[in-house]
Amino acid sequence: MSEALGVEVGRVWRAGAKRMPEVADTLAGARGGVESSLSGLLSRSSGVGVDVSARFEELRGSIRKALRDSEDAIRDCGTALVWAAEDYQLTDQAARDAYEREKARVD
Amino acid sequence: MTTPQDLATLQDQLMARYDSGSWGSGFPEDPSQFGSCFNDFTDVPDPADFGDYTTALLETLKKLAPGGFDTSTSDDSGQPVTANGNSVLDMVSTAGIELDDWTGQASDGFFTWSQSWKTGISNQFAAVSVLRQLLHAEAAIWTAALDDLKNLGEAAYEALEAADDQFDTGAGDITTTLKVVGAVVAVAAAVPTAGASLSILTAVGAGVTVASTGMDLYAGAQTDSQKFATCCPRDVLADLMDGVSKVRTAVRDAEQKIAEQLDTNNGVIDGAWSEFCQPPPTLTTVHRDHIGAYEGLGTWGGEG
């Protein structure tokens, strides 16, 4: 194994440990806008108009689920990349040293 | 902006005005309707409550924005407000490119997934835009409907004053404009589609501008009107209830357009869920013990 591989594995680790969680956090933040139910806002008991609250709730629920599932996928990707980096960095000392330097690098 | 509670107060005032009047003839069959004419509208959605929701959705849009976009709002000087795309989202495709030199079933799959991932997010961005636009349309309906009812009530009060034998103002016919008729237009509003594959997501156009100060109805939107006779309370009440009926019909028609748009969009999303929310790559299903094997991240094809 080589120092070049260590640098490469460091990039894998950074993608998994830094970038994927940051994207996942962004999606979690985005979900905040669709967490609140719209039923109370749109409901009425008098029968005036067309009660659209169930339809709005379906759309909101779909968006919320998609954001949650996308976030989970990103977090799982990040975990898998970190696992892979941990496995590869064990191959030899040169790779391990390069890997540690890459991890410590400030973007 | 008129609230449902304002209408409850107004109908009490109408009832009191009728009870205190001096009427020689033209008595209504059921004068209590002056005090209950707006009952069905006292628990409808309050337009003042929509702002918190649409503002929160705008923050969601900013986080999901694949590129710059028009926020559908205007600033204090009336200028459209735009927002930038969120560059954090590009980290996924960047990670895929950095892993491009790895060869293995899961790493190859991850690269492919990372390069198309943003399309799903763009579809979600478009869907949030639709949700926000349709809420704007709902707010426009109730803003216009409650304003119309308030104007009807005030016109009826003025007509009662004119019909009162001891308080005859000498006013002729009184007419008020009904704006709710044009609160929602059938023409589809623009949905930001930057990178979205589900470009058939649609939203009705709301006859409203979203300003920093709240929602304003478009000037010059389609309207109807209601004329009030001033001869006797019976005719005033008949004209009032006719106006209320027109508002009720206009609200139903406008919300029907929104309901149809919601059905369309919900159908599009259900029918193309994998485009709306892309399944995770194989990488996420590889067992911890196999992540370093060929079916996991695989081998590095770069400099040895």
Side-chain angles (χ1 to χ4, degrees), chain B:
Chain B
M1 187 181 290
T2 308
T3 68
Q5 184 55 44
D6 292 336
L7 297 180
T9 303
L10 185 52
Q11 68 182 9
D12 288 345
Q13 292 169 345
L14 281 167
M15 191 72 249
R17 185 65 190 81
Y18 174 80
D19 287 341
S20 65
S22 176
W23 319 111
S25 62
F27 296 100
E29 189 174 325
D30 179 10
S32 71
Q33 284 185 307
F34 278 115
S36 62
C37 56
F38 300 139
N39 270 359
D40 286 350
F41 292 88
T42 54
D43 77 334
V44 298
D46 187 340
D49 293 339
F50 281 76
D52 288 346
Y53 290 87
T54 58
T55 299
L57 288 173
L58 179 57
E59 293 308 307
T60 293
L61 286 173
K62 288 176 180 174
K63 289 182 170 62
L64 295 178
F69 69 102
D70 182 344
T71 64
S72 297
T73 56
S74 58
D75 61 17
D76 291 342
S77 59
Q79 294 301 306
V81 177
T82 57
N84 297 323
N86 187 354
S87 59
V88 169
L89 302 173
D90 295 327
M91 288 182 176
V92 175
S93 60
T94 301
I97 290 169
E98 286 195 350
L99 270 60
D100 191 22
D101 286 338
W102 293 85
T103 303
Q105 184 181 336
S107 60
D108 290 346
F110 176 73
F111 174 75
T112 303
W113 178 84
S114 70
Q115 301 310 296
S116 63
W117 175 81
K118 217 169 157 183
T119 301
I121 297 300
S122 295
N123 286 325
Q124 293 165 21
F125 171 80
V128 176
S129 297
V130 166
L131 176 60
R132 183 165 175 259
Q133 179 69 15
L134 292 178
L135 280 176
H136 283 160
E138 272 288 308
I141 290 172
W142 296 112
T143 299
L146 298 182
D147 281 354
D148 286 351
L149 292 169
K150 176 177 171 240
N151 290 336
L152 284 169
E154 289 175 345
Y157 194 97
E158 190 180 345
L160 279 177
E161 299 250 287
D164 191 325
D165 290 345
Q166 292 188 350
F167 195 69
D168 192 340
T169 62
D173 285 347
I174 297 168
T175 301
T176 186
T177 301
L178 304 179
K179 296 179 292 186
V180 68
V181 176
V184 169
V185 291
V187 177
V191 176
T193 56
S197 60
L198 301 180
S199 56
I200 51 177
L201 292 171
T202 56
V204 293
V208 67
T209 54
V210 186
S212 58
T213 53
M215 292 183 195
D216 297 324
L217 292 172
Y218 280 136
Q222 181 189 358
T223 60
D224 196 353
S225 63
Q226 178 62 37
K227 185 182 286 186
F228 284 82
T230 56
C231 59
C232 64
R234 180 187 58 219
D235 288 3
V236 171
L237 181 58
D239 291 337
L240 173 61
M241 298 312 289
D242 186 41
V244 171
S245 178
K246 286 180 180 175
V247 170
R248 183 189 296 271
T249 300
V251 167
R252 185 198 63 208
D253 292 349
E255 280 201 303
Q256 186 59 42
K257 292 175 188 169
I258 292 175
E260 289 165 3
Q261 294 276 285
L262 285 164
D263 286 344
T264 298
N265 289 307
N266 285 327
V268 167
I269 291 169
D270 285 348
W273 182 257
S274 62
E275 288 183 70
F276 188 64
C277 180
Q278 292 178 312
T282 311
L283 185 68
T284 61
T285 63
V286 178
H287 191 276
R288 172 73 182 90
D289 295 341
H290 301 146
I291 195 70
Y294 178 78
E295 64 270 26
L297 194 60
T299 55
W300 182 52
E303 180 187 352

